[in-house]
């Protein structure tokens, strides 16, 4: 426009800008009210959506008011075009960031609500957030009149070089996706690797898996190494598991009495100790005639892997106390030294002044 700026133009621009600010304030109050109602629902996805709308809608109202104010002013076509571009880019930026928050929040809500999916795995959240931000960046470039076709071509060519330079990182990324997609390991599982590391899986991100062992220390394992390791998952297919306790009694014991007393101690332990499984049927199996005892195995049910230590502790204490009350002996191991034709042979015993590895013998007169 070529006409001069008048007071009416300023008034109209001020009214448009004030209307945008007022609309932003009212919409923010409305969304705050909706947020309180969303907090009462069980699904956490509505909280994420309302929280994102709090950022998008007020800014959109402000941008609309600014666009109306710019239209009311006698600006040249070039200035008007640049103003509209700036407001559009600002709006796209706010929408993109909010959309990334919504998508990442929804993915996190879904993964946390479903036990069959990664409960707290950040790898899916990070991937979706990066994808949404990349799409928003391309839209901004297209809005500014910058062609994205050469950029996509350059990214395709440069991606090969990047893939070669970051092959270890990409291997860990795809290994983490494979681990989560196969559902062999999920956050919260207790695992043990063939290399000796064991503990609860805290998180699986784009590069590594974090494990918290029973001493409350964190062990960081690259996803590629985790995918190639032999692993035992103590939470799959069922969280409950059985433990074996080895016991031995003297040969003069009444095995019927031993079995009856042991079953009573098992029932007491399973019903009183936290982490035990009262519904699990106890099993006692005699299996060995040892050197000084008859050995048998007691099979107990526990709720999860870490509960076994507490249950073993209480079961052994109570079983030992009950055996003493019932007169059932648990013999100490003994060793018999063979005597052959008056000579006591002690293998691997060095003579006072003999050579290394020389055997000695003592004659009995």
């Amino acid at each position: 426009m070529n006409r001069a700026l008048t007071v009416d133009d300023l008034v109209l621009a001020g009214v448009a800008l004030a209307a945008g600010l007022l609309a932003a304030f009212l919409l923010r109050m409305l969304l705050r009210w909706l947020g309180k109602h969303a907090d009462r629902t069980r699904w956490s996805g509505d909280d994420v959506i309302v929280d994102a709308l709090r950022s998008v809608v007020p800014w959109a109202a402000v941008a609309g008011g600014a666009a109306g104010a710019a239209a009311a002013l006698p600006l040249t076509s070039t200035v008007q075009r640049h103003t509209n571009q700036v407001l559009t880019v600002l709006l796209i930026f706010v929408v993109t960031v909010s959309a990334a928050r919504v998508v990442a929040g929804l993915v996190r809500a879904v993964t946390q609500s479903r036990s069959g999916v990664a409960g707290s795995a950040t790898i899916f959240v990070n991937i979706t957030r990066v994808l949404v931000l990349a799409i928003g960046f391309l839209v901004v470039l297209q809005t500014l009149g910058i062609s994205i076709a050469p950029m996509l071509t350059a990214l395709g060519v440069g991606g090969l070089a990047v893939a070669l330079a970051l092959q270890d990182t990409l291997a860990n990324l795809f290994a983490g996706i494979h681990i989560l997609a196969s559902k062999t390991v999920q956050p919260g599982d207790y695992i043990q690797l063939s290399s000796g590391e064991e503990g609860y899986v805290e998180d699986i991100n784009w590069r590594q898996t974090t494990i918290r062992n029973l001493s409350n220390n964190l062990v960081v394992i690259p996803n590629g190494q985790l995918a190639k390791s032999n692993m035992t998952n103590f939470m799959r297919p069922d969280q409950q598991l059985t433990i074996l306790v080895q016991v031995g009694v003297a040969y003069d014991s009444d095995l019927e009495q031993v079995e009856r007393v042991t079953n009573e101690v098992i029932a007491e332990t399973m019903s009183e100790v936290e982490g035990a499984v009262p519904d699990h049927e106890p099993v006692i199996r005699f299996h060995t005639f040892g050197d000084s005892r008859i050995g048998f195995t007691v099979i107990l049910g526990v709720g999860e892997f870490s509960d076994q230590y507490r249950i073993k502790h209480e079961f052994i204490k109570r079983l030992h106390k009950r055996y003493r009350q019932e007169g059932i002996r648990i013999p100490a191991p003994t060793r018999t030294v063979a005597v052959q034709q008056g000579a006591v042979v002690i293998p691997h015993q060095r003579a006072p002044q003999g050579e290394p590895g020389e055997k000695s013998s003592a004659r009995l007169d």
Side-chain angles (χ1 to χ4, degrees), residues 330-364:
I330 304 177
T334 59
R335 178 173 298 178
T336 302
V337 180
V339 179
Q340 300 177 352
Q341 297 180 355
V344 178
V345 181
I346 307 176
H348 306 295
Q349 181 70 30
R350 181 182 296 182
Q353 296 180 349
E355 295 297 330
E358 179 181 349
K359 298 181 181 179
S360 64
S361 61
R363 285 288 178 184
L364 298 179

Side-chain angles (χ1 to χ4, degrees), residues 236-267:
R236 307 283 170 173
D238 191 3
Q239 184 174 345
Q240 296 182 359
L241 68 154
T242 57
I243 58 174
L244 308 180
V245 180
Q246 304 298 330
V247 189
V249 294
Y251 272 93
D252 58 356
S253 302
D254 183 355
L255 297 186
E256 295 294 336
Q257 179 191 15
V258 170
E259 186 174 8
R260 176 182 57 80
V261 172
T262 305
N263 273 321
E264 293 176 358
V265 175
I266 293 175

Side-chain angles (χ1 to χ4, degrees), residues 121-123 126 172-173 176 203-210 223:
T122 58
I123 182 171
N126 292 334
N172 289 325
L173 172 63
D203 187 32
I204 304 176
N205 57 31
W206 63 274
R207 181 183 179 275
Q208 63 203 16
T209 298
T210 305
N223 292 332

Side-chain angles (χ1 to χ4, degrees), residues 11-27 57-69:
V11 172
L12 290 176
V15 169
L17 187 59
L21 294 175
L22 179 61
F25 175 77
L26 294 177
L27 289 172
V57 175
W59 279 104
V62 172

